Amino acid sequence: MRKTNHELTQHEIESNDKVHFGFWVYLMTDLLMFAALFATFSVLRNNTFGGISMKDIFDGPFVLTETMLLLTSSFTSGLAMLYALGKNKKMTLIFLALTFLLGAGFLGMELNEFAKLFAEGNTPQRSAFLSSFFTLVGTHGLHITAGLLWLTVCMALVRSRGLTNNVISKLTRFSMFWHFLDIVWIFIFTIVYLMGHA
Amino acid sequence: MHNATLKSYITGFILSIILTLAAYLAVMNHMFDGGVLLTIILFFAFLQMLVQLVFFLHMAKESRPHWNLVMLLSFASVIFIMVVGSLWIMHHLNYNMSPMQMNNYLLKDEGMRK
């Protein structure tokens, strides 16, 4: 039962609101999990067991670039939503693709950072600090990976089905997820990286 | 999400960039002392969270009853208790339980020797 008309009925608006609220509740539970990881990291940040500390990991321009990539991808996913609501399929796809590229760039940089640390023997087993560091930042990275897969599915849906109300509702949820991940990253950037250097 | 406008996204984006750069530059140039610096960059992070909630997630335009906001605030209170409580308890645990650390603390904070 796919609607082809573009006008949202009252019933659809209400059920969409419920779906979005349900998704918001999921995001809040996810936030709770991140908060637990932040608390763990803050407790263990000085337990380096003679190994490297956050000061050694911190690379200012590198992490600033990462942050800007993710922030810009959050912005472009918002613009994609605007074009989707305006029923502009081509521009929606362009901005979703841009979001994907920026997100992939962020993930690539993070994997590169992790690979470097591993190559130097700084694995999660090295110290309590590194365990909590990899768990917190890695969990965010896993969310980004899942988000990129989801985004791929969304783009395929927009291509094959067009911007139906159903697809727009799916895009809205993806966009909420992506903005949420950027908000979590603000705190990783501040608490893990900047405070590690300060 | 339905009341989104281009202006809202652009405002949010520019404010986020400004707040990110402000926190970054404050840390890189060591503009303030330890405690003040930490407070300032945490404040910037909090401010940027509000900016993105308002301009990217359009929380302010939610219609009544504000269920999304209610969920956010109740989870925020749980998170506050959990994070602050963990830090508080673990700090005191360190202070009181570990002999080596206790000596350091006594030396540093109280000016006493074992």
Side-chain angles (χ1 to χ4, degrees):
Chain A
M1 286 242 304
R2 207 183 306 149
K3 290 266 167 38
T4 46
N5 67 320
H6 288 335
E7 292 302 308
L8 288 168
T9 63
Q10 188 59 33
H11 171 72
E12 275 175 327
I13 290 174
E14 277 172 12
S15 71
N16 266 356
D17 272 356
K18 266 184 206 157
V19 169
H20 297 159
F21 176 65
F23 193 71
W24 183 254
V25 174
Y26 153 68
L27 288 182
M28 291 300 104
T29 56
D30 222 15
L31 189 63
L32 193 58
M33 182 188 70
F34 274 112
L37 295 177
F38 271 110
T40 312
F41 176 82
S42 302
V43 166
L44 296 175
R45 65 184 313 146
N46 294 322
N47 300 11
T48 52
F49 201 59
I52 59 165
S53 70
M54 205 56 229
K55 265 197 161 42
D56 307 306
I57 295 180
F58 183 82
D59 177 354
F62 184 85
V63 72
L64 185 68
T65 313
E66 266 188 312
T67 307
M68 287 303 169
L69 281 178
L70 199 62
L71 176 61
T72 312
S73 85
S74 189
F75 176 61
T76 54
S77 84
L79 294 188
M81 264 323 288
L82 279 186
Y83 281 114
L85 290 169
K87 307 290 179 191
N88 188 335
K89 185 172 163 181
K90 194 180 157 216
M91 290 307 275
T92 306
L93 279 172
I94 288 176
F95 274 95
L96 286 180
L98 211 55
T99 307
F100 183 90
L101 287 179
L102 291 163
F106 168 86
L107 191 65
M109 286 185 80
E110 186 168 302
L111 288 176
N112 189 39
E113 181 187 36
F114 281 11
K116 247 191 217 158
L117 287 170
F118 270 71
E120 291 159 1
N122 295 313
T123 60
Q125 287 95 331
R126 178 64 184 81
S127 68
F129 153 67
L130 281 170
S131 305
S132 61
F133 170 80
F134 280 112
T135 312
L136 174 56
V137 183
T139 304
H140 181 268
L142 270 180
H143 277 74
I144 293 285
T145 312
L148 288 176
L149 284 175
W150 187 4
L151 180 52
T152 317
V153 174
C154 280
M155 285 194 281
L157 278 177
V158 173
R159 262 183 76 95
S160 63
R161 290 193 198 166
L163 292 165
T164 62
N165 294 334
N166 188 8
V167 170
I168 288 180
S169 170
K170 285 186 203 310
L171 281 181
T172 307
R173 269 169 278 149
F174 167 75
S175 167
M176 286 163 77
F177 184 66
W178 206 248
H179 291 320
F180 164 78
L181 285 184
D182 192 41
I183 292 179
V184 172
W185 180 260
I186 298 169
F187 287 97
I188 295 185
F189 174 66
T190 305
I191 293 176
V192 176
Y193 288 95
L194 289 186
M195 278 171 72
H197 183 70
Chain B
M1 289 300 292
H2 296 290
N3 299 318
T5 63
L6 183 62
K7 213 179 138 194
S8 151
Y9 281 114
I10 292 177
T11 315
F13 187 48
I14 291 173
L15 285 177
S16 295
I17 289 181
I18 292 173
L19 286 168
T20 303
L21 285 178
Y24 178 76
L25 291 176
V27 167
M28 293 306 274
N29 298 326
H30 294 285
M31 281 180 186
F32 306 95
D33 287 339
V36 183
L37 186 62
L38 294 190
T39 317
I40 286 176
I41 60 175
L42 275 177
F43 178 69
F44 281 161
F46 184 74
L47 222 55
Q48 192 178 159
M49 179 187 75
L50 293 185
V51 164
Q52 297 204 4
L53 283 175
V54 170
F55 293 105
F56 285 178
L57 286 161
H58 318 294
M59 294 279 305
K61 287 184 177 166
E62 194 195 352
S63 52
R64 281 168 181 277
H66 305 279
W67 287 123
N68 285 26
L69 187 63
V70 170
M71 281 305 289
L72 181 69
L73 291 179
S74 54
F75 270 88
S77 60
V78 173
I79 286 169
F80 178 79
I81 293 169
M82 188 176 73
V83 172
V84 174
S86 301
L87 286 173
W88 190 20
I89 291 171
M90 293 310 287
H91 176 74
H92 281 263
L93 210 58
N94 261 344
Y95 203 109
N96 293 326
M97 298 296 275
S98 150
M100 255 184 39
Q101 297 236 19
M102 198 165 79
N103 281 340
N104 289 337
Y105 284 126
L106 285 177
L107 205 64
K108 204 174 74 188
D109 299 343
E110 328 267 349
M112 283 189 275
R113 283 186 186 278
K114 57 178 168 179

